[in-house]
């Protein structure tokens, strides 16, 4: 076991921590609401090549691995950066595998187009509440038996209205029979399902990383608050009711982070249990991000409920982000069937 | 980043399995379970005879030319059979402490006999009025000429009824501040004035209440300087907090519960495993078990990097022991009404193993520093929150 990052990964973390610190302060996060997209932040990310960073170098990407990717996603999560990097990376990886030589990939590698993925199969011609759907030019969806890329016409970023939502995320429906959408089949049958399943697992992994960043930042906010707020003549962090609950989320949080790292490492090394570990990391990080932001908010007292304090930004997203995948209990059942399959 | 677990004992495992197969009677697990004695003298003697207790110890104190890795693998095999070696683990811990703080004469005397299996040493820290607050001990030791006279009571002196010595925490100075008046002694359990009474537990383990009535020991039974007992305890504590190692793996209890569910047909004619409420609970147990495993492995990794994994050890202990209680409780629910049938009871699902684990898990959050004490450590040392105890 080795829990250290390489010097390059440390440098990557520092670079993105500083990029997000400069471009995505909480003022920017607030200003980007309700859409949840900031063109400048996205532009900066595109300049670093982040959306295509895991595409093989031969195809014009950065050739990065998943441990590298989660480092970036953690930093994004810490700042709640209003940019759909998780979805873009997953969709771009998928296109790089399914259509490596095509213009679709070129458009994503060379330009600032946003690609995303419908996490659920399409029903009655509509991809419902697609994450980043309001700002994406390209959508990959499992449509019946086919994995299809839908492209909006070239031009200005769409900014389709996004329905008001808890996480202030640019989610939107895509009506897939619209006349202006260009439809390209990427794969069919079992291959289509395999690719979609894999992309969904990658999304779980990167979302787990973003949630890990969100969680750890929310813990820090809570800890700072309880050190500086006084009641009954002591800082409220003196009270054990508060100490112990923060200790519990800190402990489980560090464990969740180890699980995230293990899942990323398994993906990079082609581990047979990479999908399972991604689901485990996603489920656990979702739960802990919600619990940690709740505890942090609770210890802010009435101020936690006001829009003025940052903790509410974290609290809302901790619930909203993972819900893009639907009821987590369904994923848990899927995971159990997979983990405890009878030996064949 | 690398999560490959290298089994450092791989080379010696076969040999360990062979030694255990030849010398260890698997019945001993059942005997321990029935009697509540988590120490099997016969096994202890065999380990001593073949040099496994002395593996890795300096020859001048009775160490034997045996590979410590081989010894570790043997202890793991024994544990995997469900046989406890509580007598050895406390003896080992005290001897390691002696190596640091004992006089040359004490090392010669106590360590060599312990490694030869002639002595078994247990821990006498906890008292009726002090457990977590161990430094509040009131058991009194008074100087009387060349001797010390000890008077008091200890709680939970586990294995004392099968041991030869107790490593006893006493107060030698009632005027000094709490932590400055403590002294440790090695007290023979057959000394006049020592009385041992059994205390039985929900998990079946027998522990003891021990009484010390004007027990006389010579000054050379004193470990460390008078009044420096707290520092001596600090040395011992370092050895108490081990991290989880790679160990030996087999199907987990969760795997077996899942397998049991597959075989159960519900009144609706479906397998119990297909019940989504069962699947959700199994998924949660699997996730949290993996988290507990990783937190345990991290302790070893930090130590291997030359760090002092204090907070990491607390986190692993806190999370792991609390998770186990939740997990066995959930497994009991899944097994249903029959889950209450104990080990040996006819019709007990999985031979009552879940019930046994459920009972034993209770104590995990209590001894070795309660969960509340671990949370205090995490809150203060990891999160930098203020010390919340009253001054004493
Ligand atoms: C099976 C078994 C075997 C044992 N073996 C040994 C042995 O061999 N030798 C030995 O010396 N001892 C032994 N012990 C004793 C064990 O170490 C103590 O039980 C433990 O330290 C707790 O002390 P206590 O039982 O006095 O509980 P207390 O310290 O009285 O604790 C009661 C409750 O108060 C809480 N509490 C205490 N302090 C704080 C605090 N600062 N903040 C918040 N909550 C607090 C505790 O967490 C606990 O929930 C054994 C115990 C058991 C059950």
């Amino acid at each position: 076991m080795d829990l250290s990052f390489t010097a390059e990964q440390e440098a990557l973390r520092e670079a993105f921590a500083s990029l997000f610190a400069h471009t995505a302060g909480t003022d920017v996060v607030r200003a980007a609401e309700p859409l949840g997209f900031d063109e400048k932040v996205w532009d900066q990310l595109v300049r670093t090549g982040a959306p295509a960073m895991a595409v093989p170098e031969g195809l014009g990407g950065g050739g990065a691995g998943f441990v590298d990717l989660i480092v970036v996603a953690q930093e994004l999560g810490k700042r709640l950066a209003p940019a759909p990097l998780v979805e873009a990376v997953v969709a771009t990886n998928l296109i790089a595998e399914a259509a490596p030589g095509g213009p679709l990939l070129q458009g994503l590698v060379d330009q600032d187009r946003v690609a995303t993925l419908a996490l659920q199969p399409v029903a009655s011609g509509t991809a419902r509440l697609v994450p980043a759907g309001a700002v994406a030019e390209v959508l990959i969806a499992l449509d019946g038996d086919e994995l299809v890329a839908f492209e909006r016409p070239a031009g200005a970023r769409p900014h389709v209205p996004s329905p008001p939502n808890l996480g202030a995320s640019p989610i939107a429906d895509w009506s897939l029979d619209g006349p202006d959408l260009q439809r390209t089949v990427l794969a069919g049958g079992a291959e289509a399902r395999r690719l979609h399943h894999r992309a969904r697992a990658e999304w779980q992994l990167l979302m787990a990383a973003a949630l890990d960043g969100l969680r750890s930042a929310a813990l820090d906010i809570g800890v700072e608050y309880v050190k500086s707020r006084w009641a009954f003549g002591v800082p409220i962090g003196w009270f054990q009711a508060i100490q112990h609950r923060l200790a519990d989320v800190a402990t489980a949080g560090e464990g969740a982070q180890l699980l995230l790292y293990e899942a990323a490492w398994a993906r990079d090394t082609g581990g047979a249990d990479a999908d399972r570990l991604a689901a485990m990391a996603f489920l656990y990080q979702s739960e802990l991000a919600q619990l940690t932001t709740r505890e942090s908010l609770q210890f802010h007292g009435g101020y936690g409920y006001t829009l003025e304090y940052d903790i509410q930004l974290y609290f809302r997203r901790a619930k909203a982000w993972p819900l893009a995948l639907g009821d987590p209990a369904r994923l848990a059942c899927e995971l159990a069937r997979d983990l405890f399959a009878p030996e064949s | 980043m690398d999560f490959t677990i290298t089994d450092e004992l791989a080379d010696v495992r076969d040999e360990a399995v062979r030694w255990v197969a030849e010398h260890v009677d698997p019945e001993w697990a059942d005997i321990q379970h029935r009697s509540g004695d988590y120490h099997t003298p016969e096994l202890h003697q065999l380990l001593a005879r073949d040099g496994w207790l002395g593996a890795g110890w300096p020859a001048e104190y009775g160490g034997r030319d045996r590979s410590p890795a081989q010894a570790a693998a043997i202890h793991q095999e024994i544990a995997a059979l469900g046989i406890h070696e509580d007598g050895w683990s406390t003896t080992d811990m005290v001897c390691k402490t002696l190596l640091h703080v004992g006089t040359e004469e004490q090392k010669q005397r106590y360590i060599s006999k312990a490694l030869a299996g002639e002595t078994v040493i247990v821990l006498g820290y906890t008292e009726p009025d002090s457990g977590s607050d161990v430094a509040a001990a009131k058991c009194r030791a008074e100087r009387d000429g060349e001797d010390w006279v000890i008077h008091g009571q200890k709680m939970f002196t586990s294995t004392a009824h099968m041991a030869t010595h107790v490593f006893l925490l006493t107060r030698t100075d009632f005027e000094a501040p709490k932590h400055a008046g403590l002294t440790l002694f090695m007290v023979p359990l057959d000394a006049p004035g020592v009385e041992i009474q059994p205390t039985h537990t929900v998990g079946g383990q027998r522990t003891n209440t021990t009484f010390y009535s004007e027990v006389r020991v010579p000054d050379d039974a004193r470990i460390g300087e008078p009044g420096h007992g707290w520092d001596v305890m600090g040395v011992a504590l370092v050895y108490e907090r081990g991290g989880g190692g790679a160990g030996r793996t087999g199907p987990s209890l969760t795997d077996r519960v899942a397998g049991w569910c597959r075989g159960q047909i519900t009144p609706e004619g479906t397998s119990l495993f297909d019940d989504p409420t069962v699947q959700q609970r199994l998924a949660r147990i699997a996730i949290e078990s993996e988290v507990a495993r990783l937190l345990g492995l991290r302790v070893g990794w930090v130590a291997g990097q030359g760090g002092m994994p204090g907070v990491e050890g607390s986190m692993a202990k806190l999370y792991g022991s609390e998770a186990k209680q939740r997990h066995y409780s959930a497994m009991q629910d899944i097994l249903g009404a029959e889950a209450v049938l104990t080990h040996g009871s006819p019709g007990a699902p999985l031979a009552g193993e879940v019930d046994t684990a459920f009972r034993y898990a209770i104590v995990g959050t209590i001894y070795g520093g309660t969960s509340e004490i671990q949370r205090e450590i995490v809150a203060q040392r990891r999160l930098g929150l203020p010390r919340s105890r009253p001054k004493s």
Side-chain angles (χ1 to χ4, degrees), chain A residues 2 243 254 262 284 287 340, chain B residues 2 262 284 290 319 386:
Chain A
D2 179 7
Q243 290 205 351
E254 290 189 21
E262 185 185 28
Y284 203 55
E287 183 177 313
F340 301 104
Chain B
D2 186 0
R262 283 192 185 285
R284 168 172 295 277
E290 181 60 11
Y319 189 91

Side-chain angles (χ1 to χ4, degrees), chain A residues 215-305:
Chain A
R215 178 196 59 71
S216 65
L219 177 64
D220 291 347
I221 291 171
V223 167
E224 281 317 307
Y225 192 85
V226 304
K227 281 180 188 169
S228 54
R229 173 77 179 172
W230 284 58
F232 303 98
V234 290
I236 57 172
W238 184 88
F239 296 110
Q240 279 198 338
I242 289 178
Q243 290 205 351
H244 287 198
R245 280 160 61 179
L246 288 174
D248 274 336
V249 290
T251 299
E254 290 189 21
Q257 192 170 68
L258 292 172
L259 184 56
L260 167 70
Y261 293 159
E262 185 185 28
W265 165 82
R267 175 70 58 198
D268 280 342
T269 51
D273 52 358
D275 286 0
R276 281 195 287 267
L277 283 166
M280 289 165 83
F282 170 76
L283 286 167
Y284 203 55
Q285 287 284 358
S286 306
E287 183 177 313
L288 271 179
Q290 290 168 43
L291 182 62
T292 307
T293 53
R294 194 220 91 103
E295 298 291 64
S296 247
L297 188 150
Q298 173 68 18
F299 300 145
H300 277 65
Y303 301 100
Y305 193 48

Side-chain angles (χ1 to χ4, degrees), chain A residues 38-203:
Chain A
D38 183 283
E39 195 70 54
K40 278 206 262 357
V41 176
W42 179 249
D43 190 55
Q44 289 283 328
L45 284 172
V46 169
R47 276 187 216 200
T48 65
M53 70 183 265
V55 169
E57 279 165 303
L59 297 174
F66 274 82
V67 175
D68 309 314
L69 283 172
I70 61 165
V71 164
V72 177
Q74 280 176 315
E75 294 307 316
L76 174 139
K78 281 183 196 163
R79 296 281 174 175
L80 308 175
L85 185 63
V86 168
E87 286 75 21
V89 165
V90 171
T92 308
N93 286 354
L94 181 53
I95 293 166
E97 174 158 7
L104 202 52
L105 182 64
Q106 238 38 63
L108 294 172
V109 170
D110 298 341
Q111 300 161 26
D112 64 350
R113 304 176 85 197
V114 175
T116 188
L117 175 80
L119 296 166
Q120 321 285 355
V122 173
S124 4
T126 300
R128 183 94 174 105
L129 298 180
V130 173
V135 294
E137 282 101 334
V138 180
L139 168 72
I140 316 289
L142 194 60
D143 188 4
D145 228 16
E146 291 173 333
L147 188 69
V148 184
F150 297 90
E151 275 176 275
R152 284 189 166 128
R157 182 129 13 247
H159 287 300
V160 179
S162 182
N165 66 84
L166 179 67
S169 307
I171 51 175
D173 289 351
W174 275 55
S175 175
L176 301 180
D177 34 26
D180 53 346
L181 285 188
Q182 189 184 323
R183 191 174 192 280
T184 314
V185 175
L186 299 174
E191 178 65 359
R193 283 191 300 278
R194 184 189 71 81
L195 287 168
H196 188 262
H197 181 84
R198 229 266 311 279
R200 204 165 153 267
E202 287 185 8
W203 184 86

Side-chain angles (χ1 to χ4, degrees), chain B residues 120-182:
Chain B
V120 172
I121 308 164
V122 298
L123 306 179
Y125 299 163
T126 306
E127 297 187 6
D129 292 336
S130 57
S132 301
D133 188 8
V134 62
K138 289 192 294 211
C139 182
R140 167 201 305 265
E142 270 173 329
R143 193 79 211 232
D144 181 23
E146 286 302 293
D147 295 340
W148 292 85
V149 178
I150 298 171
H151 197 81
Q153 183 184 344
K154 293 283 168 182
M155 285 301 297
F156 302 112
T157 326
S158 304
T159 328
H161 61 299
M162 309 179 89
T164 56
H165 292 76
V166 56
F167 189 53
L168 195 75
L169 177 67
T170 69
R171 181 162 303 280
T172 44
D173 187 344
F174 281 79
E175 306 301 315
K178 184 162 111 180
H179 292 84
L182 301 168

